[in-house]
Amino acid sequence: MVTQLVNSTVQGSPQSNPTSGSYQGVTIQVPRQDATSGTPGAHPTGVATPPPGPVPQGQGSVPLAFPHYFSFGAMNPPGSASQLDDMRSRNGAAFSFRYQYLTGGVKTGNGWEHWQQPSGQFATSYMQESAQHGYMPAFVYYEICLSNGPHPSSYCGSHNIDQDTGNLADASTMNAYFANWVLMLQKIGAFGKPVFVVVEPDLWGFLQNATHGSNNAATIPASVSSSGYSDASGYPNNAQGFTWALLHMRDKYARNAIVALHASTWAAGDDIATDTYQNVDVAGLAQKEANFLNTAGLIGNPGGVSSWDVISNDVADFDSGQPGGRGWWDRYNHTFPNFARYLTFIGDLSQDTHRRIVMWQVPMGNQYFDTLNNSPGHYQDNRAEYILNNVASFATAGIIAVLFGPGNGGTINIDVMHDGVTNFGPVSTYECNMCNNHTSSYPDDDGGYLRIFVGQYLQHRVALS
């Protein structure tokens, strides 16, 4: 899942979701029109889609530093904030967040702390650039799996549970890990403005798998107090103590850090994002997921230790049209997987954890512009279109923000491919018989879809309460 965007280069590591699939659907056509100006048509954001129907009402508070409306962000490499500025000034696409991975693992010599000097300067530079351009900086902190411990970092990707649990239980690795976590927090604290941090996506899902059905983080051994790191002293040597130590350090060094505990769609059993079965127990899966997350720092924390602010969730680490993609969602909500089932799961999860949700690493592809012909960097997906057509339903389910990201080498909303304005011509793909038939005049690898339609959405924002 981990992806770095540094110096406008997209790099991916092996994905870790345990299931995959591909699906066939009905085909439709829409008239060709010039969409370069973003002029609304009958279905301004693409193919007509029915709303998902009633969804559970999400619960929990919106972090005070977040926008008071349903907002958007995008993965954006260092030095590229000006490209988001262009979308804001020309199209009204005022993204609230820009994000970047902090990764590489501890004890590897390749971690984010070494990307600029002095140690940790990379994070400071990214935060400063974001603030200078008017965006809340966000980091995806992804370190455990890629760290050298009992196994080398290369173990990550094919042996994730062993790698995660092995590193978590190793005193030397965890001592270095806590020092790395604190370094990031110190940089955030010195920055002084709000920073959003998605903490260790994937890790929590694999740890839940490692409980073998107990869904209790306290059953997983971890080196916390035994790591010898002073700020971890006194916390139990299990995964629950690990989360308490992380939160304690946030409280000590960076109260301006808004932290997200990650929920994976596959962690509790059947994968909501890829399963084709009709009779999936959505409410039961959400409850199992919540049971684990609640033991991982949401409830029952020691006195003086804060809790996680929100839940983060990723729907895929590939565009659906990308080789190796994890399957399309039916936009008509007739077959599975689909959007209605996902929103039911998310709404139930929000209720069961009493937390709002941030969707992160949402694929950037679309089936609107003929720029998207499933060639490298121009892969199709339908999630951006569906979300922008049904923002109110996503907000009802407890989602407060969507952060778009390319996953492993997928489509992005800037010109990473360096191929300028491209209009390859429409193609036939899932539920789309030559429907990507709109001509683009933007060099963005997504044809300019997000700049146009996020901008149009922001003219009529959905308020959060």
Side-chain angles (χ1 to χ4, degrees):
M1 173 179 294
V2 60
T3 302
Q4 299 177 44
L5 276 183
V6 181
N7 297 327
S8 298
T9 300
V10 181
Q11 302 172 330
S13 71
Q15 66 84 32
S16 52
N17 288 15
T19 58
S20 63
S22 60
Y23 314 101
Q24 299 297 318
V26 298
T27 57
I28 64 170
Q29 297 188 41
V30 296
R32 185 179 182 87
Q33 68 183 63
D34 184 352
T36 56
S37 65
T39 302
H43 306 294
T45 55
V47 175
T49 54
V55 298
Q57 180 75 48
Q59 296 182 10
S61 59
V62 179
L64 292 177
F66 269 44
H68 62 281
Y69 56 88
F70 192 101
S71 56
F72 291 93
M75 193 173 188
N76 188 249
S80 299
S82 60
Q83 298 185 53
L84 294 183
D85 295 348
D86 181 73
M87 300 172 192
R88 182 172 58 198
S89 62
R90 295 174 65 186
N91 307 96
F95 288 100
S96 298
F97 308 87
R98 65 189 291 258
Y99 81 87
Q100 163 70 41
Y101 273 87
L102 298 182
T103 188
V106 302
K107 299 170 60 178
T108 65
N110 301 315
W112 66 272
E113 67 274 20
H114 301 297
W115 294 350
Q116 289 182 13
Q117 293 301 317
S119 182
Q121 178 61 35
F122 178 87
T124 298
S125 297
Y126 192 83
M127 290 185 288
Q128 290 174 342
E129 180 190 3
S130 300
Q132 288 166 2
H133 290 261
Y135 306 102
M136 183 186 295
F139 293 121
V140 179
Y141 187 79
Y142 194 101
E143 287 283 277
I144 285 279
C145 193
L146 291 171
S147 295
N148 283 330
H151 302 286
S153 62
S154 59
Y155 219 56
C156 183
S158 55
H159 304 86
N160 291 71
I161 292 180
D162 290 341
Q163 181 75 343
D164 287 337
T165 57
N167 283 344
L168 198 63
D170 184 73
S172 174
T173 303
M174 292 310 297
N175 185 284
Y177 179 92
F178 287 129
N180 191 277
W181 172 250
V182 165
L183 176 63
M184 180 195 68
L185 292 174
Q186 289 173 331
K187 298 301 181 183
I188 292 174
F191 175 65
K193 301 179 181 65
V195 178
F196 180 53
V197 185
V198 177
V199 181
E200 295 289 0
D202 280 355
L203 170 66
W204 311 105
F206 287 115
L207 293 184
Q208 185 174 359
N209 289 173
T211 69
H212 304 293
S214 76
N215 299 313
N216 186 348
T219 66
I220 302 170
S223 180
V224 187
S225 291
S226 63
S227 71
Y229 194 79
S230 59
D231 285 324
S233 177
Y235 293 103
N237 289 310
N238 55 47
Q240 185 177 63
F242 167 63
T243 66
W244 294 345
L246 294 181
L247 292 166
H248 163 66
M249 295 174 204
R250 186 275 296 265
D251 298 343
K252 181 176 179 179
Y253 295 104
R255 290 307 298 256
N256 55 313
I258 303 162
V259 290
L261 178 64
H262 192 72
S264 297
T265 59
W266 46 266
D270 296 323
D271 186 353
I272 291 295
T274 63
D275 205 307
T276 61
Y277 295 118
Q278 180 177 0
N279 298 319
V280 170
D281 181 7
V282 177
L285 289 173
Q287 187 62 68
K288 290 178 182 178
E289 181 79 359
N291 289 345
F292 176 80
L293 297 177
N294 283 335
T295 70
L298 288 183
I299 61 175
N301 296 1
V305 175
S306 67
S307 183
W308 301 94
D309 299 298
V310 295
I311 301 294
S312 59
N313 175 254
D314 61 321
V315 297
D317 55 1
F318 286 82
D319 288 287
S320 295
Q322 189 174 352
R326 296 299 170 263
W328 291 90
W329 289 3
D330 175 22
R331 69 174 78 218
Y332 303 105
N333 296 312
H334 295 151
T335 61
F336 297 97
N338 62 38
F339 292 89
R341 185 171 71 179
Y342 172 77
L343 286 173
T344 299
F345 172 77
I346 288 297
D348 287 343
L349 182 63
S350 178
Q351 289 183 4
D352 294 339
T353 59
H354 300 281
R355 293 297 186 283
R356 296 294 186 98
I357 311 292
V358 174
M359 293 178 70
W360 155 76
Q361 196 174 251
V362 176
M364 290 184 169
N366 62 79
Q367 293 182 297
Y368 188 83
F369 283 116
D370 56 17
T371 310
L372 285 296
N373 69 337
N374 289 331
S375 63
H378 299 286
Y379 298 111
Q380 291 188 2
D381 200 273
N382 62 8
R383 292 176 179 88
E385 293 178 66
Y386 194 91
I387 292 168
L388 284 162
N389 270 309
N390 296 281
V391 170
S393 294
F394 283 77
T396 297
I399 296 166
I400 57 177
V402 171
L403 275 58
F404 292 105
N408 288 277
T411 304
I412 192 168
N413 66 330
I414 60 176
D415 188 16
V416 167
M417 299 306 295
H418 304 293
D419 52 7
V421 177
T422 55
N423 289 288
F424 298 110
V427 296
S428 292
T429 55
Y430 177 78
E431 295 183 342
C432 172
N433 182 20
M434 313 295 246
C435 70
N436 64 314
N437 54 15
H438 299 80
T439 302
S440 172
S441 63
Y442 294 104
D444 310 340
D445 291 344
D446 72 338
Y449 185 87
L450 288 180
R451 71 159 68 215
I452 291 172
F453 295 112
V454 169
Q456 289 192 7
Y457 156 74
L458 288 171
Q459 297 176 25
H460 306 281
R461 306 173 183 188
V462 173
L464 299 173
S465 59

